[in-house]
Every structure is written in structure tokens, then in C-alpha cells.
Amino acid sequence: MKVTIQSPANIAFVKYWGMRDPKLFIPMNNHISMNMSACTTTTTIELTDDPTDVIEIEFFKQSAQRLESNSIKYQNILDQIDRIRSLAGSEKRVKIFTTNNFPADAGIASSASGFSALTGALLIAYGMRDKFDNKVEFSKQVRLCGSGSATRSVYGGFVEYIAGTNHDDSYAVLIADEKHWDLVDIVAIVDPEKKKISSSEGHSIAGTSPYFDARLSELPNRVEVVRKAILDKDIRTLGPEIEKDSTSLHVVMMTSNPPAFYWAPGSISIMKEVMRWREEDDLQAYFTLDAGANVHVICEKKDAEEVTKRLEANPFVKWTIYNEVCEGTKLISIDD
Ligand code: PMV
């Protein structure tokens, strides 16, 4: 059995930061995102009779490398393999080949595309196609690998994760599919290097910030406003909420112990420019940053060319990645 799955990264409009239950990876708050067409992971899994699981990753613009079995990355992936293998009651090992078409660990949610592709391919390879096809169940299986953002990649378009309080009531739902609204996310790469504090470490220290409770108190209302603005295709309501959410998240990050300071000079330069474009020219573009220095600029497709031109004129910007809203995790091929 050989299965190939492709899955997109996504950008959160209301972000997930901090866990209610670190064992089941239940988040503190509902979170909402849009999928990204140009940032995908493709994963092929083959069942084998070999004695060990082999994992090969081809990172962006690098040659493929086999992960050492004592590395943290191997262990994280192995946890999910072992969980799904035991769910299937199988002894078979896997050979995994996975490739990313964008820089990993730089605030472009590579864990989202990576872990949703991995989980989808494992479920199908181990004979649980029903759990892959049922997207609520699929999102729960993805959550158990520890990447909350990955749970949102299972559907196409705009997705909300319902935090819930336990395994049964914590899952992703679709807000609107990829044909609903031609929003785009233009990522301005100012620093393609790996981030210093991983999201999983960030979630565990979120509660040490004195501003974490203030952030959580803002979120129920923001989730309602953002969901409605997506349904209404209302960028003038959506945009300011996206920016407030990003800045509130980064305040928590910067004031936690140890502090997680992701902004670089280029990030600040772009944030200020985007605000100025709105003030001076009414250009409807809005920024948001995940756990990294690179800036996601959200606008409607009709403004994308102008926004890209302006971003590329900024001396801090190394290159841009243009993303439309897209399909979620999908099966590319399957050989029995
Ligand atoms: O999915 P994780 O555990 O990598 O956490 C995601 C954290 C943020 O990217 C900062 C926010 C989000 O909701 O995507």
C-alpha cells in the first residue's frame, strides 16, 4: 500500500496560543484560519515489513535527508505513527517521504501542512479511510499529534476550530469553502531562518504572560466578528480584527517567560507600511504574523498586484509568496 497526500498551510485570523489540556492538546480558545494555496506539503507513505520506520524529509530548497531516529523531529512524527498504527492494530512499519515547497519553521505554519498531510496519509495507509473522509474525526486525529494549526487544514477554505473541553467536543468545522471569497495572503519573507522558540514551547509558556488572560477575554467576541465578516465578505470589518489579534498574540509572546520575540526590523517596517497604505490610499490590506518574523498581508484579489508591488519595493523583503484560498488536505494517489 502506497498513499500520497497533499495538504496546505493556513494563516490564522484568530490565533491559537496556549493549551487547556496539554495531554489531549485541547486549545484555550476557538481559532479561525484561511488555507494557503502556494504553501503545501506532499507526503507519501508506504507500508513495509522493514524492522524500523524510515522518515525522509526534503526541506525547502534542500536535498532530501533521512531523519536520525534520535532526533526530536523523528520522535514527534513517530508518536503519531505509533498512535495510528495501534489504533489500526497493525505491526507494519512505514517508509515516509515528505516534501515542502516553502521555508519550514518560519511563521508559515509548516507544522499545519506537515502534520495534516502525515495524519491523512497514515489513516489511509493503515486502512482507516473512513476517519480521513469524516473531517470532524480527521481533525481530532490531527490534533492528537500536537499541532493545533494542522487541524484547520483538513477542510478547504475558511475554517474554525471549536476548542471544546475534551476529546469529543474539540474539532474543526468549515465556515465557508474555497470558492466563497477571493481573499489572498501575500507572505512577505523578511527572514527565512528557523524560529528560535517553537510553537509547542510557546503554548506551554503562554500562561506566564500577565497579558494572557486579557487576550483570552477578547477572543469570544473576536471569533464571532471574524466568522461573520468572512461570511459577509466584509474586509473592512475582518481586517482590523486580524491585526488586533496578531498584535495581542505578540504582546503575550513578548511578555512570557522566557520571552518569545519574533518580530524583526522588516516585520515592523511592513506593519507600518500596510497601515500607511490604508490611511493614505485606502488600500484595503491588513497584516498578521504567526510565530515568526515573516508578515502575511491579507487583501482581496483585486488589490493583490498593487500590494505585491509595494511589498517587493520594501528593502527588507527578500521575496513574496502569493496564496489564494484553496482546498484542504487531499488524496493525490493510492496504490494497493
Ligand atoms: O499549531 P501549532 O502548535 O504550531 O501552533 C500554532 C500557533 C500560531 O501559528 C502562532 C497560531 C495559529 O493558530 O496558527
Side-chain angles (χ1 to χ4, degrees):
M1 163 75 86
K2 191 173 175 180
V3 181
T4 299
I5 291 276
Q6 191 175 71
S7 196
N10 62 69
I11 178 65
F13 294 165
V14 179
K15 311 216 186 249
Y16 152 51
W17 202 244
M19 268 179 240
R20 182 185 300 275
D21 179 340
K23 283 207 181 72
L24 290 174
F25 305 104
I26 309 289
M28 288 297 289
N29 60 277
N30 285 26
H31 37 105
I32 294 180
S33 66
M34 163 191 142
N35 280 340
M36 297 163 62
S37 62
C39 297
T40 59
T41 297
T42 305
T43 297
T44 299
I45 293 191
E46 205 174 340
L47 294 187
T48 72
D49 294 317
D50 293 350
T52 53
D53 296 299
V54 173
I55 305 169
E56 252 186 35
I57 302 193
E58 188 179 65
F59 289 108
F60 182 64
K61 292 195 172 159
Q62 291 175 24
S63 47
Q65 48 176 280
R66 186 172 161 166
L67 296 186
E68 300 288 340
S69 57
N70 56 2
S71 67
I72 293 176
K73 261 206 163 73
Y74 184 96
Q75 289 302 323
N76 287 344
I77 294 171
L78 184 65
D79 285 349
Q80 185 72 334
I81 299 171
D82 280 341
R83 218 181 47 73
I84 291 181
R85 184 160 41 214
S86 89
L87 198 62
S90 169
E91 300 275 295
K92 290 260 187 201
R93 304 285 132 181
V94 286
K95 188 163 186 285
I96 300 182
F97 178 76
T98 190
T99 172
N100 259 1
N101 68 351
F102 62 102
D105 300 321
I108 321 179
S110 55
S111 69
S113 56
F115 278 108
S116 48
L118 173 76
T119 307
L122 285 168
L123 286 173
I124 296 179
Y126 281 110
M128 291 179 283
R129 176 77 191 258
D130 55 328
K131 289 197 191 317
F132 174 78
D133 288 338
N134 176 338
K135 298 304 175 201
V136 164
E137 179 58 30
F138 180 26
S139 70
K140 290 182 184 178
Q141 293 299 328
V142 175
R143 166 170 46 78
L144 292 173
C145 73
S147 171
S149 53
T151 60
R152 301 182 306 242
S153 290
V154 309
Y155 301 95
F158 302 89
V159 180
E160 177 168 349
Y161 192 84
I162 312 290
T165 55
N166 59 58
H167 180 66
D168 293 334
D169 67 3
S170 185
Y171 50 79
V173 295
L174 183 67
I175 295 178
D177 73 16
E178 65 276 15
K179 294 180 207 77
H180 171 69
W181 189 13
D182 55 359
L183 219 54
V184 303
D185 172 10
I186 304 161
V187 190
I189 306 292
V190 295
D191 180 4
E193 294 303 310
K194 190 175 177 337
K195 63 196 178 197
K196 306 264 177 318
I197 295 193
S198 69
S199 314
S200 35
E201 190 183 348
H203 292 299
S204 68
I205 58 173
T208 63
S209 164
Y211 301 103
F212 187 53
D213 288 344
R215 168 169 167 75
L216 290 179
S217 70
E218 296 169 356
L219 294 183
N221 180 256
R222 180 166 303 137
V223 164
E224 296 299 318
V225 174
V226 166
R227 189 193 307 117
K228 183 168 184 314
I230 290 171
L231 290 170
D232 294 346
K233 304 183 204 171
D234 175 0
I235 190 144
R236 286 177 193 270
T237 303
L238 178 70
E241 290 301 321
I242 294 178
E243 288 192 352
K244 276 189 267 176
D245 191 68
S246 170
T247 303
S248 127
L249 172 83
H250 282 267
V251 165
V252 169
M253 289 165 159
M254 290 173 199
T255 53
S256 42
N257 187 13
F261 203 108
Y262 295 107
W263 290 356
S267 325
I268 297 170
S269 166
I270 297 169
M271 288 189 259
K272 297 202 87 150
E273 278 207 55
V274 166
M275 289 190 270
R276 187 168 55 78
W277 300 340
R278 288 203 306 271
E279 273 164 33
E280 291 178 1
D281 309 319
D282 196 32
L283 180 59
Q284 289 301 301
Y286 295 86
F287 66 79
T288 180
L289 287 84
D290 273 348
N294 299 318
V295 187
H296 297 247
V297 180
I298 310 296
C299 64
E300 290 182 302
K301 194 173 173 180
K302 66 178 171 58
D303 294 323
E305 208 179 308
E306 181 62 25
V307 170
T308 304
K309 192 176 86 194
R310 292 183 185 209
L311 285 173
E312 288 179 351
N314 181 307
F316 289 103
V317 174
K318 298 192 181 354
W319 76 93
T320 58
I321 306 175
Y322 171 79
N323 296 276
E324 298 188 355
V325 193
C326 69
E327 290 175 274
T329 312
K330 63 180 179 201
L331 177 60
I332 302 287
S333 66
I334 181 163
D335 295 330
D336 283 322

